Amino acid sequence: MAVTRNLPPLSSVRSFEAAARHGSFTLAADELAVTQGAVSLQVRKLEAYLGKKLFLRHPRKVELTADGAAYFEACRRVLADLENATRRMRSRDRNELLIISTIPTIGQLWLMPRLASFTDAHRHIEVRVVSDIRPLDMQADGIDVAIRVGPLAGRHYARDLPGIDLTLVQRWDGICADYLFDDVMVPVMSRRLYEQGGPIDSLADLASFELIHTASRPNAWRDWLRAQGAALPRRRANLEVGHFYIALRAAQEHKGIALIPDVLLDGYPGRADLVVPWRPARPVKSAGEYYLLVQGAALERPAIQTFRAWVLEQAREFAGTLPAAPLVAVPSASVSAGSMPPGSTSPESLSSGSLPPPMSIDLADAQK
């Protein structure tokens, strides 16, 4: 007698896994190349199939329920195993496959606009980009290289630096890290709002506007102001959004001032409508940086060597330029690349022909 497997529709599982990984139906839709409504429909079908609520739906974000979190872990493992098996099968006869994991907004606004130059130059390397905000688990997720932001294990940061509420990796054993660039937050508002309410000559002027908060960095405004000797003003209400892309969109729509990593501005489609109304005399660096992460055992793979050289060159070029957010309202400071994490190399010294070895993280430091 044939046994029928009691399995949910794969399309629903893919939509749910992507939405849970991003914490956003919108970003899941971007990844899957479908509409937000299609993702929502597939998730509802899965919830009906399971008889369980998987998400709590809020006006500007979604949140996993306890059942949803447990089911997400199971779906993530199954899809990772399926993807790895497919990758091994296809790689026997096809070009080398490189799987890149990145946090959503840096992938969408920094990596993707540049990636065509890599794929055009290296057509023998098939590139697949996946987005995830969880701490990296390269082996479990079948990841070759990753771009993440957060505090480096074993490095001590001054208490007054703005915090980053993200963890780079789950386990540091065998992971090597290349420094890419600092995390520097800048205030961003629409050109129209600035023209209506400016000029902005001080932090007090800045804080008189509605401040847009981002759920992925809930304390960003407080920490950024405190690092400059100011305090977050008390006000009746502030707008909170799920991630930086939505914060940029809200700023573009004149909703207030968003605090955004400067690395994201260059690739934002609506950057012509935005201004950086005020910059401190010295950039306020966060307690963490952006890193390229790779397993040490995989460093000799030609595709990884090629991608590593390319992405370090892209980081070097970015570190030497200002983000392309036009109409900076006051003279702005250059992005600083002078304060490197211990043991790293300044991006200016990197070239694709001669690369220094990445940092290997001591497990004793990682566990501190």
Side-chain angles (χ1 to χ4, degrees), residues 183-238:
D183 182 78
V184 178
M185 305 286 278
V186 293
V188 176
M189 66 193 302
S190 73
R191 183 192 305 267
R192 190 179 83 182
L193 186 60
Y194 174 77
E195 291 172 349
Q196 291 175 347
I200 296 177
D201 299 320
S202 67
L203 287 173
D205 292 340
L206 194 74
S208 67
F209 288 82
E210 191 80 10
L211 302 182
I212 301 169
H213 294 259
T214 308
S216 59
R217 301 270 190 101
N219 298 316
W221 272 113
R222 184 201 67 187
D223 292 350
W224 188 80
L225 289 168
R226 184 176 60 190
Q228 300 171 79
L232 186 67
R234 294 180 179 273
R235 65 176 66 246
R236 295 187 302 274
N238 279 303

Side-chain angles (χ1 to χ4, degrees), residues 147-190:
I147 296 175
R148 288 290 191 275
V149 63
L152 187 68
R155 187 184 185 203
H156 299 286
Y157 296 88
R159 291 185 176 182
D160 61 347
L161 295 181
I164 299 177
D165 302 311
L166 295 171
T167 302
L168 288 169
V169 301
Q170 289 188 12
R171 298 185 300 273
W172 276 104
D173 46 315
I175 301 296
C176 295
D178 280 300
Y179 166 85
L180 295 178
F181 32 73
D182 293 318
D183 182 78
V184 178
M185 305 286 278
V186 293
V188 176
M189 66 193 302
S190 73

